């Protein structure tokens, strides 16, 4: 029997207050009339208007979205392939180096990743812009995808795949019809993780972007270095809102899928 | 054939965009700074064949590394990064453990919601979470307004642009990385062990020290590494919250590169940072492996 004490209740309350109060304050003060962010001067939505009329922010948001969609999609394909290799391919020469290259970027300081990629792009004479940011983001997020997908592949029952092969599937058909649907949740969460990492990245993008492309975090960075601003509060509120909606709906969908799966299993058990 | 393709594509991608860039950093850290584009010599010229290669090798030297040891700034920055990362790891553990413990003790119906509440900030922009503290900690910020309002202090506290602000920022942003591994260790714990301990005459506190803490050790270690390793090279938090008083190596590298445009020194700074990180990274991998083996049994 677990005992939930006053101590537990207090530490949870304080802990979650610590996690959420700063964001709550940002949201509240984004509706502040005054430009002086720390003084409340009445309710207003004017900063949202200013934000949506600001071409610099809109352009940066568009670049960020483009980079995030492209890089997370490529990273998901490459990361799934890498996970397959890690879990299924057994021994091959260079395997240690391969798994090292998958795990190292997960803990590499961003400043080093950014610096090294920039030096590469300059070394081979590649013009910096959207393309170089996409290459950089794909490289580090494919490693996160492969960790997520390989944890799912490890627990996967291989006999299902073998059954498909015995029944005359080609390996590709077995992958597409049997393996992929089963690992799909992990592939989707890998994509979401890659997408968020790309949206969020300031340091690597700053190194690899060059003067022709600016992402949203870079734009936010250059404006918050000057201090607190109400437009940034409004932008933060929008981003927090989008993420909250996304996470809540994702958890509802996965809960519904889990319930449906349980129902299916019960039906199967009854008919069997 | 298909298998070879499957291996080669991600392999070549990582070689070209992860390993080769590193070798370039290593090479440039051994080169001399130069006022040109790119701002360093020597450059390896493949067209000259073997002669070009030996020429290139003869020009490499450890000047930049010697420079790092001669200038106070760099080793002070390494030491202070280690110190800040160490202290903030301990602080994050002190804040994170009670939260993870409370979550593991909560009713099973509540746990998924609590888990989601811990993960949610992790999906929100890191930059924005750090930024949110500027308004709170500033001299005329919300915290000082609150404390002055209730009369605890008579003069505003200076927190922003000090190391205290950096500690707060790190604990705040890295808290989920500490809470999640500890929670997953505590959640698996069998409570009858605690009852057995108490039946055998343990006080609650000593049962906690003798049973709960050792059983969550793997989670605690994993959480500490997950906080310590990335904070060591942290750039955003010291730059936004730490002011000029805080010296951290990630910030030094950034400034060396973008402000001083000294690429060889920036590369040498990166190489040494990596050498420092290799030890905790290997220890971390070993801890993960041990845990995976324990779960496999």
């Amino acid at each position: 029997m677990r005992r939930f004490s006053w101590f537990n209740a207090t530490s949870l309350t304080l802990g979650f207050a610590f996690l959420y109060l700063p964001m709550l304050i940002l949201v509240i003060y984004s509706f502040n009339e005054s430009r002086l962010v720390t003084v409340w001067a009445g309710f207003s939505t004017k900063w949202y208007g200013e934000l949506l009329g600001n071409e610099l922010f809109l352009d940066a948001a568009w670049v960020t979205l483009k980079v995030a969609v492209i890089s997370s999609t490529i990273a998901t394909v490459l990361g799934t392939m890498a996970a397959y290799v890690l879990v299924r391919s057994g021994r091959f020469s260079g395997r240690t180096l391969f798994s090292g290259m998958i795990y190292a970027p997960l803990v590499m300081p961003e400043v080093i990743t950014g610096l090294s990629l920039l030096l590469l792009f300059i070394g081979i004479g590649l013009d910096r812009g959207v393309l170089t940011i996409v290459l950089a983001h794909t490289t580090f997020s494919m490693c996160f995808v492969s960790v997520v997908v390989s944890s799912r592949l490890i627990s996967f029952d291989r006999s299902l795949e073998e059954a498909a092969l015995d029944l005359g599937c080609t390996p590709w058909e077995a992958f597409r019809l049997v393996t992929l649907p089963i690992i799909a949740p992990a592939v989707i969460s890998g994509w979401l993780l890659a997408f968020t990492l790309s949206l969020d990245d300031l340091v690597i993008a700053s190194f690899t972007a060059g003067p022709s492309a600016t992402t949203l975090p870079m734009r936010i960075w250059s404006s918050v270095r000057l201090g607190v601003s109400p437009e940034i509060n409004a932008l933060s509120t929008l981003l927090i809102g989008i993420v909250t909606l996304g996470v809540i709906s994702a958890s509802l969908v996965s809960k519904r899928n889990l319930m449906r799966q349980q129902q299916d299993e019960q039906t199967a058990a009854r008919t069997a | 054939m298909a298998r070879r393709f499957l291996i080669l594509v991600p392999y070549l991608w990582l070689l070209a965009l992860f390993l080769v860039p590193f070798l370039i950093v290593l090479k440039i850290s051994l080169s001399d700074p130069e006022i040109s584009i790119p701002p360093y010599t020597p450059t390896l010229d493949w067209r000259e064949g073997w002669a070009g290669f030996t020429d290139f090798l003869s020009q490499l030297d450890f000047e930049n590394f010697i420079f790092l040891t001669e200038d106070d700034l760099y080793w002070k920055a390494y030491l202070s990064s280690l110190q800040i990362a160490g202290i903030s790891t301990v602080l994050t553990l002190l804040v994170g453990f009670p939260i993870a413990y409370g979550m593991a003790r909560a009713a099973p119906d509540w746990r998924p919601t609590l888990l989601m509440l811990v993960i949610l900030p992790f999906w929100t922009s890191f930059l924005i979470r750090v930024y949110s503290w500027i308004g709170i900690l500033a001299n005329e910020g919300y915290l000082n307004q609150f404390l002055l309002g209730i009369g605890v202090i008579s003069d505003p506290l200076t927190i922003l642009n000090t190391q205290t602000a950096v500690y707060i920022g790190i604990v705040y942003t890295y808290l989920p990385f500490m809470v999640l591994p500890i929670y997953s260790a505590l959640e698996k714990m069998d409570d009858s062990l605690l009852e057995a301990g108490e039946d055998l005459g343990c006080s609650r506190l000593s049962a906690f020290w003798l049973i709960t803490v050792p059983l969550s050790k793997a989670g605690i270690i994993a959480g500490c590494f997950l906080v310590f390793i990335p904070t060591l090279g942290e750039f955003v938090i010291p730059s936004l919250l730490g002011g000029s008083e805080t010296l951290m190596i990630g910030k030094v590298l950034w400034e060396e590169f973008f402000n001083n445009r000294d690429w060889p020194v920036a590369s040498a700074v990166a190489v040494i940072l990596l050498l420092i990180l290799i030890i905790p990274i290997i220890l971390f991998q070993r801890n993960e492996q041990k845990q995976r083996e324990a779960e496999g049994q």
Side-chain angles (χ1 to χ4, degrees):
Chain A
M1 180 55 209
R2 299 203 178 214
R3 284 153 305 188
F4 188 72
S5 64
W6 278 108
F7 174 75
N8 296 142
T10 321
S11 53
L12 280 184
T13 317
L14 289 179
F16 284 110
F18 175 61
L19 275 177
Y20 283 92
L21 263 182
M23 286 195 264
L24 193 66
I25 293 173
L26 264 193
V27 172
I28 293 172
Y29 275 84
S30 73
F31 296 103
N32 188 3
E33 171 77 34
S34 163
R35 176 161 274 285
L36 290 169
V37 209
T38 48
V39 184
W40 182 259
F43 181 86
S44 149
T45 53
K46 72 175 179 193
W47 302 114
Y48 290 88
E50 300 227 344
L51 180 73
L52 295 176
N54 188 333
E55 290 284 327
L56 287 176
F57 278 110
L58 293 182
D59 285 348
W62 176 236
V63 170
T64 310
L65 201 62
K66 221 163 36 179
V67 168
V69 169
I70 301 173
S71 71
S72 56
T73 307
I74 307 175
T76 306
V77 175
L78 288 172
T80 308
M81 287 168 87
Y84 222 75
V85 170
L86 277 181
V87 177
R88 291 295 174 76
S89 274
R91 304 240 133 252
F92 59 91
S93 54
R95 192 194 150 92
T96 319
L97 178 64
F98 186 71
S99 67
M101 288 194 300
I102 292 285
Y103 287 105
L106 305 180
V107 286
M108 195 59 65
E110 290 169 318
V111 279
I112 298 184
T113 314
L115 175 72
S116 65
L117 282 165
L118 170 63
L119 294 177
L120 170 82
F121 294 143
I122 288 176
I124 58 175
L126 193 60
D127 274 341
R128 282 179 293 149
V130 172
L131 174 68
T132 46
I133 313 177
V134 168
L135 288 175
H137 282 184
T138 306
T139 307
F140 75 86
S141 39
M142 71 176 273
C143 302
F144 284 89
V145 173
S146 84
V147 169
V148 173
V149 174
S150 64
S151 71
R152 175 81 186 176
L153 269 177
I154 288 173
S155 62
F156 171 82
D157 184 2
R158 265 190 100 162
S159 57
L160 292 172
E161 226 174 52
E162 282 157 10
L165 291 173
D166 287 345
L167 293 169
C169 272
T170 64
W172 167 245
E173 280 172 335
F175 175 77
R176 196 166 49 93
L177 299 172
V178 178
T179 317
L180 195 58
I182 294 178
I183 62 169
V187 174
I188 292 169
S189 32
W191 188 88
L192 282 173
L193 184 61
F195 183 76
T196 330
L197 288 170
S198 170
L199 279 189
D200 211 18
D201 167 62
L202 166 75
V203 176
I204 295 172
S206 302
F207 274 100
T208 53
S212 67
T214 305
T215 64
L216 197 55
M218 288 164 72
R219 185 62 69 201
I220 297 176
W221 175 251
S222 57
S223 116
V224 299
R225 292 197 64 147
L226 308 171
V228 190
S229 89
E231 284 104 333
I232 299 291
N233 285 356
L235 179 62
S236 311
T237 305
L238 290 180
L239 292 176
I240 292 171
I242 293 170
V243 168
T244 312
L245 278 181
V247 170
I248 290 176
S249 49
S251 75
L252 287 181
V253 168
S254 72
K255 200 172 178 182
R256 206 189 55 194
N257 285 348
L258 193 73
M259 277 163 68
R260 189 178 295 164
Q261 196 185 334
Q262 280 169 351
Q263 262 172 8
D264 286 351
E265 275 163 15
Q266 280 167 6
T267 329
R270 270 200 299 271
T271 44
Chain B
M1 179 54 216
R3 175 171 180 264
R4 191 172 299 165
F5 173 77
L6 205 60
I7 295 177
L8 272 182
V9 175
Y11 209 123
L12 291 179
W13 183 288
L14 285 172
L15 277 181
L17 287 153
F18 182 73
L19 198 63
V20 170
F22 258 139
L23 300 177
I24 296 177
V25 171
L26 195 61
K27 187 200 100 177
I28 292 177
S29 73
L30 298 169
S31 311
D32 290 326
E34 184 91 342
I35 302 171
S36 66
I37 298 169
Y40 59 88
T41 60
T43 40
L44 180 54
D45 194 350
W46 295 107
R47 280 157 298 184
E48 283 177 46
W50 183 246
F53 185 66
T54 47
D55 193 34
F56 161 78
L57 278 187
S58 70
Q59 284 187 54
L60 294 178
D61 56 46
F62 288 91
E63 222 169 88
N64 301 304
F65 291 94
I66 294 167
F67 174 68
L68 292 191
T69 60
E70 280 167 353
D71 195 328
D72 274 5
L73 170 77
Y74 300 101
W75 63 264
K76 276 189 185 152
Y78 284 115
L79 283 183
S80 117
S81 302
L82 280 170
Q83 187 196 349
I84 290 176
I87 294 178
S88 32
T89 305
V90 174
L91 291 175
T92 316
L93 176 62
L94 292 178
V95 177
F97 194 93
I99 299 178
Y101 190 64
M103 284 167 66
R105 287 285 157 132
D109 293 351
W110 274 86
R111 278 183 230 156
T113 314
L114 294 174
L115 201 58
M116 200 178 82
L117 283 174
V118 172
I119 298 171
L120 190 64
F122 168 80
W123 292 94
T124 351
S125 166
F126 182 81
L127 192 53
I128 285 173
R129 281 184 290 147
V130 178
Y131 161 75
S132 68
W133 283 93
I134 299 180
I136 298 176
L137 299 176
N139 277 353
E140 67 284 6
Y142 310 121
L143 181 67
N144 274 320
Q145 285 180 19
F146 175 72
L147 292 177
L148 286 169
I150 60 170
V152 179
I153 51 171
S154 51
D155 295 309
L157 302 169
T158 309
I159 307 176
L160 190 64
N161 297 334
T162 66
Q163 283 200 9
T164 315
V166 176
Y167 291 133
I168 295 175
I170 294 175
V171 172
Y172 181 66
T173 44
Y174 286 95
L175 197 58
F177 292 100
M178 183 66 85
V179 172
L180 294 175
I182 298 180
Y183 167 75
S184 77
L186 285 175
E187 205 227 346
K188 275 180 279 187
M189 202 180 95
D190 184 355
D191 267 4
S192 56
L193 292 173
L194 283 181
E195 281 164 27
E198 277 172 33
D199 288 346
L200 294 170
C202 254
S203 73
R204 271 186 146 189
L205 196 65
S206 57
F208 175 79
W209 278 113
L210 295 173
I211 301 168
T212 313
V213 172
L215 282 176
S216 55
K217 206 176 82 186
I220 294 175
I221 294 174
C224 286
F225 279 124
L226 286 175
V227 176
F228 182 83
I229 295 171
T231 12
L232 199 61
E234 185 54 57
F235 163 72
V236 172
I237 299 174
S239 307
L240 274 187
L241 302 178
S244 54
E245 192 198 281
T246 315
L247 198 56
M248 281 190 87
I249 204 66
K251 211 172 116 192
V252 170
L253 195 159
W254 178 284
E255 279 160 10
E256 209 58 69
F257 192 86
F258 284 105
N259 305 353
N260 301 345
R261 310 199 60 75
D262 191 336
W263 295 14
V265 166
S267 305
V269 168
V271 169
I272 296 194
L273 175 56
L274 257 188
L275 288 178
I276 297 177
L277 274 174
I278 278 179
I279 304 163
I281 288 175
I282 290 176
L283 288 176
F284 173 65
Q285 301 254 14
R286 202 170 287 170
N287 181 55
E288 292 289 292
Q289 191 129 27
K290 236 187 341 194
Q291 226 182 320
R292 244 174 284 150
E293 278 164 15
E295 270 164 31
Q297 275 162 9

